[in-house]
Amino acid sequence: MKIKFIQSGGFAGIVKEANIDTDKIPKDTADFFQDIITNADFFNLQLKDEQPMPDVEQIYITVEQEDKSHMISFSTLNIPEKLKPLVDEIQKQMEIKKF
Amino acid sequence: MIEKYFCHDDFCRIIPPYMIDKLLESKDSKIRKMALLSFKIDNFIRSVRFIHKKERDLLMEELKIKPVKIVKKKIRHIYDSQNSQHLPGILVRKEGDKLSNDKEVDEAYEYLGDTYDFYNTIFKRNSIDNKGMRLDASVHYGDHYNNAFWNGWQMVFGDGDGKIFNRFTLDLDVVGHELTHGVTQHECALIYRFQSGALNESFSDIFGSMIKQFKLNQTVDQADWLIGANLLIGEKYAIRSLKSPGTAYVNHPQLGTDPQPSTMDKYKDLEIYQDNGGVHVNCGIPNHAFYVAAMELGGYAWEKVGLIWYKLLQKLDSNANFERAAKLSIEIAEEMGEQEREAVIKGWKEVMVI
């Protein structure tokens, strides 16, 4: 499974990214991510289209697994409850993307 | 009930959607009726944040919602989120209260006051909505939170991580920037994506800078034209420069170099997932157009070009682009005089929008 995580915006307009390939990380962490994706029914998750608010950071998560790919987005003020542990974990690994 | 939602003290207190859902299922018809009303108002409140004031007035008429009672004085409420993500938090200083001895609280209080005074003195504007809306701000939001934002109702300030960012209440221009997002929302509600989003950001930077210049009584040639000069840690760093976009920080150890272009040929065509299409990046272009026009006319920025941009904020459409902003600002300047018209044309020409 591949997870692409982008958090962008905020007062300074910074874009932060993390790319995770569960084949290349320790098994317990890979299982942790897989459980969250499964429990959240990620590939069927449809979130309300949110109008971006000034200087509020926006999160974009794309997950690819086998032949499936799905992307969702939400603001840091409205993180879906079931995805919070995943967001918290990946936020620790984000790197600032320089334009 | 409807009035309650729109009185100043209860403006932000909306019944959570999950509660409304439950109430809509109630067997009691009175409760269902009230829940339906709440649902409609809730949807209304959520939508008004992003629509032009003309449409908003029509919607209010349709829903028979009374406008807020106009208050003709400055009212500030500062809340402490106590490093949680709860909003607004605990009320810690309200209008007329003494210093709290919490620097974030007192800076937010003072700078909101300065921002209110600027708009009121220069443009005769009565607060964010021009109807005396109470200025609410929450400080100590989140855990070492590296951001400040406007959520449609109030300003929110994080403490910063102390490594890259200082506290977000430190610079008057940053506080003025956030409050101006509220003013924009109540005027032309510029959509926060791509060029209209960059214009939204630009208005906040321009007015944020002018608010600082006004407090320091600086003419255009005395001003530093920087946004967040103290916010980004390190003497040689700021967040943005209106005078010289792309130079606010250079070779910063974590952030690299300021990516802002100052001309259209360097416009960054970014995807939506990159800062809503580069709203904080491409705002360097209209920011610099304003700077050039202000320098051309000299004196205090708010006297001529500031007034043109304030009128522009009231005339733009919510999906306006740079070209539209240029055209309208030139028309507004023309009504003021030939010198003003030429200065505004020079500004937009220099950034290659026209």
Side-chain angles (χ1 to χ4, degrees):
Chain A
M1 180 172 71
K2 286 179 181 158
I3 304 172
K4 187 177 178 65
F5 187 100
I6 300 173
Q7 183 168 325
S8 78
F11 183 81
I14 294 168
V15 178
K16 291 169 271 188
E17 275 189 17
N19 289 287
I20 291 159
D21 184 340
T22 52
D23 289 340
K24 295 176 182 169
I25 58 174
K27 188 178 178 306
D28 54 344
T29 313
D31 290 345
F32 170 76
F33 287 137
Q34 183 62 65
D35 286 349
I36 293 169
I37 295 299
T38 306
N39 290 337
D41 192 14
F42 185 88
F43 290 100
N44 292 311
L45 204 54
Q46 299 292 339
L47 301 178
K48 262 189 194 170
D49 193 20
E50 227 181 296
Q51 282 272 13
M53 283 184 283
D55 297 327
V56 173
E57 287 177 291
Q58 206 67 24
I59 291 173
Y60 300 83
I61 304 176
T62 308
V63 178
E64 288 174 22
Q65 190 165 33
E66 294 158 8
D67 58 342
K68 289 182 288 187
S69 176
H70 187 54
M71 192 194 83
I72 58 165
S73 73
F74 46 86
S75 81
T76 49
L77 303 182
N78 287 316
I79 301 172
E81 204 59 43
K82 286 185 174 174
L83 293 177
K84 267 187 181 163
L86 179 133
V87 171
D88 287 346
E89 188 54 38
I90 299 182
Q91 278 178 331
K92 292 176 201 161
Q93 304 177 29
M94 294 187 303
E95 283 179 12
I96 292 171
K97 187 182 167 173
K98 293 165 188 169
F99 289 105
Chain B
M1 172 110 179
I2 293 175
E3 281 174 62
K4 184 174 183 280
Y5 278 93
F6 283 82
C7 78
H8 290 274
D9 287 340
D10 293 299
F11 202 75
C12 301
R13 293 174 199 161
I14 309 163
I15 300 171
Y18 59 87
M19 273 192 200
I20 295 178
D21 289 347
K22 278 279 169 211
L23 294 175
L24 282 168
E25 291 166 12
S26 171
K27 287 176 185 167
D28 186 327
S29 65
K30 276 185 190 165
I31 291 176
R32 277 204 311 277
K33 201 175 162 189
M34 293 300 275
L36 187 64
L37 190 59
S38 298
F39 177 74
K40 282 183 179 175
I41 292 168
D42 189 43
N43 276 345
F44 169 74
I45 289 170
R46 284 170 204 282
S47 60
V48 291
R49 294 186 294 197
F50 308 109
I51 61 174
H52 196 277
K53 62 180 176 184
K54 283 178 199 159
E55 296 168 51
R56 188 165 57 233
D57 291 345
L58 279 172
L59 245 175
M60 285 177 77
E61 203 180 304
E62 193 184 321
L63 283 172
K64 301 191 189 316
I65 290 172
K66 281 189 180 178
V68 289
K69 200 167 77 184
I70 293 174
V71 177
K72 288 184 180 169
K73 60 180 179 180
K74 176 167 59 187
I75 310 172
R76 290 163 284 183
H77 276 191
I78 312 297
Y79 299 83
D80 186 348
S81 286
Q82 300 185 307
N83 298 116
S84 74
Q85 291 184 0
H86 296 300
L87 291 174
I90 295 165
L91 180 62
V92 285
R93 190 173 174 193
K94 59 183 190 308
E95 195 62 42
D97 283 354
K98 288 178 189 165
L99 284 169
S100 72
N101 292 322
D102 176 324
K103 55 181 181 298
E104 282 84 351
V105 170
D106 294 330
E107 281 168 354
Y109 183 89
E110 183 185 340
Y111 294 162
L112 285 184
D114 292 334
T115 303
Y116 177 98
D117 291 344
F118 171 80
Y119 275 106
N120 193 246
T121 309
I122 304 301
F123 305 121
K124 306 286 173 241
R125 186 178 185 89
N126 184 9
S127 192
I128 290 171
D129 60 352
N130 208 12
K131 291 170 184 165
M133 181 177 169
R134 194 179 72 205
L135 304 176
D136 284 356
S138 296
V139 300
H140 301 307
Y141 178 82
D143 181 18
H144 296 94
Y145 185 63
N146 274 340
N147 200 14
F149 61 88
W150 165 257
N151 74 350
W153 312 113
Q154 66 159 109
M155 285 138 281
V156 183
F157 300 97
D159 291 338
D161 57 9
K163 291 172 189 162
I164 302 175
F165 293 103
N166 256 314
R167 59 186 187 275
F168 278 73
T169 51
L170 190 54
D171 285 312
L172 169 58
D173 46 89
V174 175
V175 177
H177 173 109
E178 290 311 324
L179 197 146
T180 300
H181 277 308
V183 173
T184 300
Q185 174 189 307
H186 282 274
E187 290 297 339
C188 56
L190 284 161
I191 296 165
Y192 203 66
R193 284 175 175 151
F194 303 108
Q195 281 199 18
S196 57
L199 283 172
N200 193 324
E201 271 304 313
S202 177
F203 277 110
S204 277
D205 278 352
I206 287 166
F207 284 85
S209 179
M210 276 198 290
I211 290 160
K212 182 169 76 176
Q213 292 172 31
F214 180 67
K215 182 157 189 187
L216 298 174
N217 193 33
Q218 289 176 329
T219 54
V220 292
D221 49 344
Q222 292 169 328
D224 65 11
W225 295 95
L226 294 171
I227 297 295
N230 301 303
L231 172 61
L232 195 55
I233 294 173
E235 260 182 45
K236 55 185 179 178
Y237 303 131
I239 302 288
R240 288 182 283 279
S241 168
L242 285 75
K243 181 179 179 178
S244 185
T247 66
Y249 54 91
V250 177
N251 294 326
H252 185 281
Q254 284 84 27
L255 303 177
T257 296
D258 175 6
Q260 282 209 314
S262 57
T263 50
M264 277 309 274
D265 59 332
K266 305 267 170 55
Y267 181 88
K268 297 247 170 44
D269 212 354
L270 300 174
E271 300 289 343
I272 188 74
Y273 53 81
Q274 293 172 308
D275 184 29
N276 291 305
V279 297
H280 294 88
V281 176
N282 293 315
C283 67
I285 295 168
N287 277 358
H288 194 58
F290 179 89
Y291 166 81
V292 171
M295 291 303 288
E296 187 66 12
L297 288 169
Y300 293 114
W302 56 85
E303 285 178 335
K304 290 179 178 172
V305 193
L307 183 60
I308 294 167
W309 251 248
Y310 182 66
K311 287 181 179 175
L312 176 64
L313 185 61
Q314 295 171 308
K315 284 194 168 186
L316 279 175
D317 308 312
S318 56
N319 59 356
N321 59 13
F322 293 176
E323 217 179 303
R324 175 80 180 142
K327 186 177 179 290
L328 267 180
S329 60
I330 293 165
E331 281 174 21
I332 296 164
E334 208 162 35
E335 289 166 16
M336 289 173 70
E338 188 53 27
Q339 212 185 0
E340 287 82 353
R341 181 181 167 272
E342 277 176 21
V344 173
I345 288 175
K346 185 177 178 184
W348 290 112
K349 270 194 174 166
E350 200 151 314
V351 300
M352 301 164 85
V353 167
I354 56 171

